[in-house]
């Protein structure tokens, strides 16, 4: 069948309260036509005034797909969605062809199914097409069976590695078209999903990954799962495509079903297979995170919606603070595009959270731009309207006024790395994975441990992994096994690496301008060398994030030092983010060639070392001093002599120790001497801080 079309109804209404008029869809009905197969829509417009929550008038109108005299401009993707029969056509036909790729329309649609078409940009003489699959794991939760399945699929159908993402999901690269259905169905049969991991709809919902048996953490994670369920597509296109219509869904909470079906404030398309999304879904991707006060492991302010649990003095969750309007993506040399931090919207009681989330989503659905995708994220709507008008419109769909935002403590970035008590008698172990890339001996060893001890897994928003439900008796053997594969406890990992992130970029990402994941190991080593040169201590660090393009997948605009690809072997440098990810960085320099980075790093870190205030972070220092002074230091920098080494330390007393250290170092792309020095420095720093075990 053809998809329903959003035609503009030739209906006007004059109200005596003209502040803001908003139309919400109450119905969507098809009517057949004998002369054509086009659909006519019956739309029930509910007109509200923001001065009053009451319904002022109800207007019914019938519109057809016939183009009006003055049609609103729409992007190409909007037209593709309109004619897709709810994200099916022409993808369903393209998957059956012998070609290794799918056409442009299908490329856009397969995103909704959780996949991007890619090709190796470094190969010459033709394009070698493959597909990247991204899973959807609310809270980063990965059951044991799903992890083992993903591990198998990476070897059998991918490039032999798994990628942990900044939104607590897996990415599986290198799947060819003929294997897509096998891979997708395997994920679904293992109680996983890729539905909505990409595309113009709600993406994976973040939450603190720590499996702590605390009321607020458990409530935050359950809320994230409920929000994910609320905003999951309902029209069945995903299961039709990959498992021939068979559904593999867990039972939904009654409150989720009730909130989705509720249309008391004109939020739904009641006769549509997609009651919340309709035929057009959202104007662009939509990101939500849930957390508890003080735990900013999810970069809460970078999301379209940020939800924070608010508890009473007894620790019982009572409701939620809501932030809106965050987002990272931008376009180079277009100042009208920008990263943005979310604004406080208000507070809602816990029983209303799903209705409030739905009201915000519908406000974006109805008012977000659909003509130019560069401006389609909700942050641009809020920037255009202002938070007050946005709140007023959302309240019409919510049916209530938001309460005053509750006071929150200071945010702290929590990595959840290392060994911790869960609070239920078991332990969890957070493991640092450089750039989230699981491969080689690390991959083999992780599978061995996860399979042997039947462990569930959680993925963090910093591209790391947590092993859950570990008995205390297993701690020593697991620690030993992991260390042999280079999965060390955080105190033995360079502090620069612990907070660094990079996107995949080359060779597969079609948007990459320069290196990110493959380039950051060398960049971090060079930063460490500059630290040593200017006299900064080993346990001092800055948050460094690198992306190959300005879309911001690794959230570089929140880093203390962000490197954003702006040309071949060239980066735009952003400064001024905070260690707790609450301050937006700003552009400092453009077009800095990768080989010239020390010319910027050295003067900045040199003056930070000598001019900072007590315990002042690098990001805070750059903001206090100001970019004009920073620029002056860089321009006048003539270099400095490296201090002569005062001690000649013999680190290895025998060849056997060296060989073992060398083997561990190679797993981390380091020399034996570098790794040994890191361990020694870390131990000394721990002794100084009184933290050595």
């Amino acid at each position: 069948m053809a998809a329903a079309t959003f035609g503009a109804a030739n209906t006007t209404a004059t109200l005596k309260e003209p502040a803001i008029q908003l139309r919400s869809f109450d119905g969507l009905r098809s009517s057949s036509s004998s002369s054509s197969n086009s659909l006519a829509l019956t739309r029930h417009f509910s007109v509200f005034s923001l001065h009053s929550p009451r319904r002022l008038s109800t207007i019914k109108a019938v519109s057809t797909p016939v183009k009006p005299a003055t049609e609103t401009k729409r992007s190409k993707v909007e037209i593709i969605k309109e004619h897709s029969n709810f994200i099916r056509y022409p993808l369903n036909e393209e998957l059956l062809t012998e070609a290794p790729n799918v056409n442009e329309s299908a490329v856009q649609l397969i995103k909704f199914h959780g996949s991007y078409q890619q090709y190796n940009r470094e190969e010459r003489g033709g394009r070698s097409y493959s597909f990247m699959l991204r899973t959807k794991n609310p809270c980063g939760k990965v059951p044991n069976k799903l992890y083992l399945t993903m591990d198998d699929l990476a070897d059998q159908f991918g490039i032999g590695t798994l990628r942990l993402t900044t939104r607590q999901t897996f990415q599986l690269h290198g799947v060819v078209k003929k294997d897509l259905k096998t891979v997708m169905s395997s994920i679904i049969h293992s109680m996983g999903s890729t539905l909505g991991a990409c595309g113009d709809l709600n993406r994976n919902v973040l939450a603190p990954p720590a499996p702590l048996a605390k009321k607020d953490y458990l409530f935050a994670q359950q809320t994230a799962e409920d929000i994910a369920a609320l905003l999951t597509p309902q029209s069945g296109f995903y299961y039709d495509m990959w498992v021939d219509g068979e559904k593999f869904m867990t039972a939904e909470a009654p409150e989720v079903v009730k909130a989705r079906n509720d249309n008391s404030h004109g939020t739904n398309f009641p006769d549509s297979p997609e009651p919340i999304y309709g035929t057009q879904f959202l104007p662009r991707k939509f990101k939500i995170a849930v957390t508890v006060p003080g735990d900013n492991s999810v970069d809460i302010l970078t999301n379209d919606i940020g939800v924070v649990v608010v508890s009473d003095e007894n620790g019982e969750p009572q409701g939620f603070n809501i932030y809106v309007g965050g987002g990272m993506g931008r376009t180079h040399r277009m100042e009208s595009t920008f990263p943005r931090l979310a604004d406080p919207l208000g507070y809602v009681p816990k029983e209303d959270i799903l209705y409030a989330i739905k009201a915000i989503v519908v406000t974006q659905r109805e008012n977000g731009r659909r003509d130019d995708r560069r401006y389609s994220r909700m942050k641009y709507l809020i920037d255009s309207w202002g938070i007050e008008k946005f709140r007023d419109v959302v309240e019409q769909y919510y049916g209530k006024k938001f309460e005053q935002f509750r006071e929150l403590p200071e945010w702290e970035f929590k990595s959840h790395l290392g060994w911790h008590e869960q609070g239920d008698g078991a332990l969890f172990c957070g493991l640092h994975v450089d750039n989230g890339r699981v491969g080689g001996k690390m991959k083999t060893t992780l599978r061995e441990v996860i399979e042997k001890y039947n462990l569930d897994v959680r993925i963090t928003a910093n591209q790391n992994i947590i092993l859950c439900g570990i008995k205390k008796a297993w701690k020593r053997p697991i620690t030993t096994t992991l260390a042999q594969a280079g999965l060390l406890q955080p105190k033995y990992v360079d502090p620069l690496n612990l907070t660094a992130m990079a996107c995949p970029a080359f060779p597969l990402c079609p948007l990459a301008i320069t290196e990110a994941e493959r380039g950051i190991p060398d960049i971090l080593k060079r930063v460490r060398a500059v630290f040593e040169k200017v006299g900064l201590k080993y346990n001092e660090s800055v948050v460094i994030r690198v992306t190959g393009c300005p879309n911001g997948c690794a959230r570089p605009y929140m880093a203390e030092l962000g490197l954003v690809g702006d040309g071949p072997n060239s980066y735009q440098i952003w400064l001024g983010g905070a260690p707790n990810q609450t301050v937006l960085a700003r552009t400092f320099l453009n077009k800095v060639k990768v080989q010239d980075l020390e010319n910027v790093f050295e003067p900045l870190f040199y003056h930070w070392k000598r001019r900072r205030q007590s315990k002042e972070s690098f990001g805070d220092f750059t903001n206090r001093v100001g970019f004009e002074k920073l620029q002056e230091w860089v321009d006048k920098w003539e270099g400095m002599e490296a201090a002569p080494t005062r001690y000649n330390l013999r680190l290895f007393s025998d060849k056997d120790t060296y060989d073992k250290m060398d083997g561990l170092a190679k797993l981390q792309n380091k020399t034996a001497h570098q790794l040994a020095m890191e361990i020694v420095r870390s131990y000394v720093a721990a002794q100084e801080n009184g933290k050595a075990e």
Side-chain angles (χ1 to χ4, degrees):
M1 62 179 274
T5 308
F6 288 105
N10 296 318
T11 305
T12 60
T14 302
L15 300 177
K16 293 182 179 180
E17 298 179 274
I20 300 172
Q21 295 180 11
L22 113 91
R23 303 183 304 178
S24 63
F25 300 115
D26 285 330
L28 184 144
R29 293 185 172 84
S30 64
S31 69
S32 60
S33 169
S34 58
S35 59
S36 70
N37 292 325
S38 63
L39 291 178
L41 305 184
T42 301
R43 297 159 107 190
H44 301 264
F45 295 109
S46 302
V47 186
F48 300 91
S49 164
L50 296 184
H51 294 311
S52 171
R54 64 186 176 88
R55 179 172 292 185
L56 300 177
S57 63
T58 300
I59 303 168
K60 293 186 178 181
V62 177
S63 64
T64 69
V66 177
K67 290 184 178 181
T70 56
E71 185 182 73
T72 302
K73 180 184 176 183
R74 295 185 297 162
S75 70
K76 185 183 297 183
V77 176
E78 289 300 312
I79 297 170
I80 290 171
K81 289 187 288 187
E82 175 187 327
H83 294 98
S84 71
N85 186 17
F86 293 97
I87 319 300
R88 292 176 173 87
Y89 175 82
L91 177 60
N92 51 355
E93 295 183 356
E94 286 291 304
L95 290 173
L96 300 176
T97 69
E98 295 296 322
N101 61 313
V102 297
N103 67 20
E104 182 181 356
S105 294
V107 165
Q108 297 301 325
L109 297 180
I110 202 169
K111 295 177 184 179
F112 290 76
H113 296 258
S115 180
Y116 285 89
Q117 180 172 280
Q118 301 179 330
Y119 65 91
N120 190 330
R121 295 173 59 187
E122 295 178 338
E123 289 184 0
R124 298 294 179 260
R127 294 184 175 183
S128 178
Y129 287 100
S130 66
F131 292 80
M132 180 272 283
L133 274 62
R134 182 184 295 154
T135 59
K136 204 168 184 182
N137 309 89
C139 318
K141 290 183 178 181
V142 183
N144 178 269
K145 181 180 179 181
L146 179 59
Y147 184 91
L148 299 179
T149 296
M150 296 301 298
D151 184 80
D152 287 337
L153 293 174
D155 291 336
Q156 296 173 25
F157 301 103
I159 60 174
T161 66
L162 285 171
R163 186 62 151 67
L164 312 177
T165 79
T166 58
R167 291 204 69 79
Q168 298 184 279
T169 66
F170 287 117
Q171 282 185 179
L172 179 63
H173 293 88
V175 179
V176 297
K177 191 176 87 170
K178 67 180 179 64
D179 294 329
L180 274 174
K181 189 166 186 177
T182 299
V183 175
M184 289 283 203
S185 62
S186 296
I187 293 172
I188 294 169
H189 282 91
S190 298
M191 302 310 293
S193 177
T194 64
L195 171 60
C198 322
D200 299 343
L201 71 177
N202 180 52
R203 302 290 186 87
N204 196 52
V205 182
L206 306 187
L212 296 169
K214 295 182 177 180
K215 290 179 181 179
D216 54 352
Y217 275 83
L218 294 172
F219 192 59
Q221 291 158 3
Q222 183 60 58
T223 300
E225 292 178 305
D226 288 346
I227 291 171
L230 172 74
L231 299 175
T232 295
Q234 300 295 301
S235 54
F237 62 82
Y238 180 70
Y239 299 99
D240 287 350
M241 200 76 67
W242 307 112
V243 288
D244 301 321
E246 185 180 3
K247 288 196 174 184
F248 290 79
M249 299 181 70
T250 56
E252 293 182 321
E255 54 267 29
V256 173
V257 177
K258 182 180 178 182
R260 182 190 297 123
N261 293 336
D262 178 75
N263 196 31
S264 56
H265 301 287
T267 53
N268 286 24
F269 300 101
D271 294 330
S272 171
E274 292 291 352
I276 295 177
Y277 291 127
T279 60
Q280 301 305 107
F281 288 78
L282 298 180
R284 271 300 246 117
K285 58 188 169 186
F286 201 89
K287 297 181 177 181
I288 301 175
V290 184
T291 192
V292 302
D295 186 340
N296 198 17
S297 58
V298 297
D299 263 357
I300 190 74
L301 300 178
T302 66
N303 291 270
D304 291 274
I305 303 177
V307 179
V308 185
V309 175
V310 176
S311 301
D312 62 18
E313 61 276 9
N314 298 316
E316 291 291 339
Q318 299 298 308
F320 302 90
N321 278 347
I322 299 178
Y323 294 94
V324 290
M328 291 286 95
R330 50 178 285 274
T331 303
H332 281 315
R333 292 172 292 282
M334 289 188 67
E335 296 302 315
S336 54
T337 66
F338 44 80
R340 188 181 192 277
L341 296 188
D343 295 318
L345 182 69
Y347 169 89
V348 298
K350 61 183 179 182
E351 61 271 14
D352 287 349
I353 185 60
L354 297 181
Y355 299 90
I357 294 292
K358 184 178 172 183
I360 296 167
V361 170
V362 170
T363 300
Q364 163 66 354
R365 182 194 76 193
E366 294 300 298
N367 298 283
R369 287 182 60 172
R370 294 181 182 266
D371 59 329
D372 189 335
R373 290 176 66 80
R374 287 173 296 188
Y375 305 104
S376 293
R377 290 290 298 275
M378 194 172 76
K379 64 181 178 180
Y380 294 112
L381 176 65
I382 295 175
D383 186 73
S384 171
W385 278 6
I387 191 64
E388 296 300 330
K389 176 178 176 180
F390 183 83
R391 182 185 294 112
D392 287 343
V393 175
V394 171
E395 286 174 345
Q396 297 300 315
Y397 290 121
Y398 176 38
K400 298 180 181 180
K401 291 287 185 181
F402 286 101
E403 296 180 34
Q404 186 174 358
F405 205 76
R406 302 300 197 256
E407 186 176 350
L408 294 173
E410 286 293 317
W411 291 107
E412 177 186 350
F413 169 71
K414 296 189 177 181
S415 69
H416 300 295
L417 296 179
W419 286 95
H420 303 274
E421 297 271 358
Q422 290 186 178
D424 58 1
L427 305 173
F428 72 88
C429 180
L431 298 168
H432 171 73
V433 180
D434 278 338
N435 307 308
R437 182 67 66 178
V438 180
K441 189 173 182 181
M442 178 197 299
K443 179 173 175 293
T444 303
T445 302
L446 271 176
R447 184 199 175 92
E448 175 189 329
V449 170
I450 291 167
E451 189 169 29
K452 178 178 179 179
Y453 296 98
N454 193 31
L455 304 178
D456 291 335
V457 164
R458 305 224 179 150
I459 302 170
T460 82
N462 241 51
Q463 303 174 315
N464 297 318
I465 194 167
I466 294 175
L467 308 182
C468 308
I470 301 172
K471 293 182 180 179
K472 293 183 179 180
W474 299 344
K475 179 179 178 179
R476 184 178 294 275
I478 286 177
T479 300
T480 302
T481 301
L482 293 173
Q484 290 171 350
L487 287 160
L488 305 176
Q489 290 305 295
K491 64 182 178 180
Y492 299 126
V493 179
D494 190 321
L496 290 171
N497 291 63
L498 287 177
T499 56
M501 291 201 298
C503 68
F506 286 135
L508 294 176
C509 179
L511 302 175
I513 304 170
T514 193
E515 297 286 1
E517 179 184 341
R518 297 192 306 192
I520 196 173
D522 182 62
I523 290 172
L524 293 176
K525 289 178 185 177
R526 291 163 65 186
V527 171
R528 174 57 63 198
V530 171
F531 268 35
E532 294 178 352
K533 188 174 182 179
V534 303
L536 286 164
K537 294 181 180 179
Y538 178 77
N539 61 351
E540 295 183 280
S541 188
V542 298
V543 177
I544 300 173
R545 295 177 177 178
V546 182
T547 58
C549 81
N551 283 333
C553 293
R555 302 188 288 273
Y557 311 117
M558 302 301 290
E560 294 181 276
L561 173 60
L563 277 64
V564 179
D566 65 354
N569 300 311
S570 173
Y571 294 98
Q572 190 178 61
I573 295 182
W574 288 64
L575 299 175
N580 65 352
Q581 277 80 67
T582 58
V583 179
L584 196 64
R586 294 176 290 144
T587 311
F588 177 55
L589 291 174
N590 294 298
K591 298 289 184 180
V592 178
K593 289 296 184 181
V594 67
Q595 65 268 22
D596 297 329
L597 289 173
E598 278 83 356
N599 296 337
V600 179
F601 294 166
E602 283 188 10
L604 295 182
F605 292 138
Y606 175 86
H607 288 287
W608 177 45
K609 167 72 168 64
R610 285 154 180 77
R611 300 171 183 264
R612 61 186 168 179
Q613 297 174 352
S614 177
K615 297 183 179 179
E616 186 175 37
S617 70
F618 178 68
D620 288 346
F621 170 77
T622 59
N623 287 324
R624 177 177 62 82
V625 170
F627 280 18
E628 184 176 346
K629 176 60 71 174
L630 298 177
Q631 183 72 62
E632 178 185 331
W633 289 339
V634 171
D635 291 342
K636 293 182 177 180
W637 185 250
E638 296 181 355
M640 60 175 289
E641 293 288 333
T645 302
R646 291 181 295 169
Y647 304 105
N648 181 18
L649 299 178
R650 184 178 179 183
L651 291 172
F652 304 104
S653 59
D654 60 88
K655 188 175 185 302
D656 183 56
T657 302
Y658 171 82
D659 288 341
K660 291 178 180 178
M661 184 66 73
D662 188 53
L664 282 172
K666 286 177 180 177
L667 294 171
Q668 300 183 48
N669 194 26
K670 299 173 182 174
T671 67
H673 186 274
Q674 286 174 326
L675 180 58
M677 286 302 297
E678 287 180 10
I679 293 172
V680 170
R681 287 181 184 126
S682 179
Y683 178 78
V684 171
Q687 290 281 10
E688 290 175 347
N689 295 332
K691 297 179 180 178
E693 293 182 356

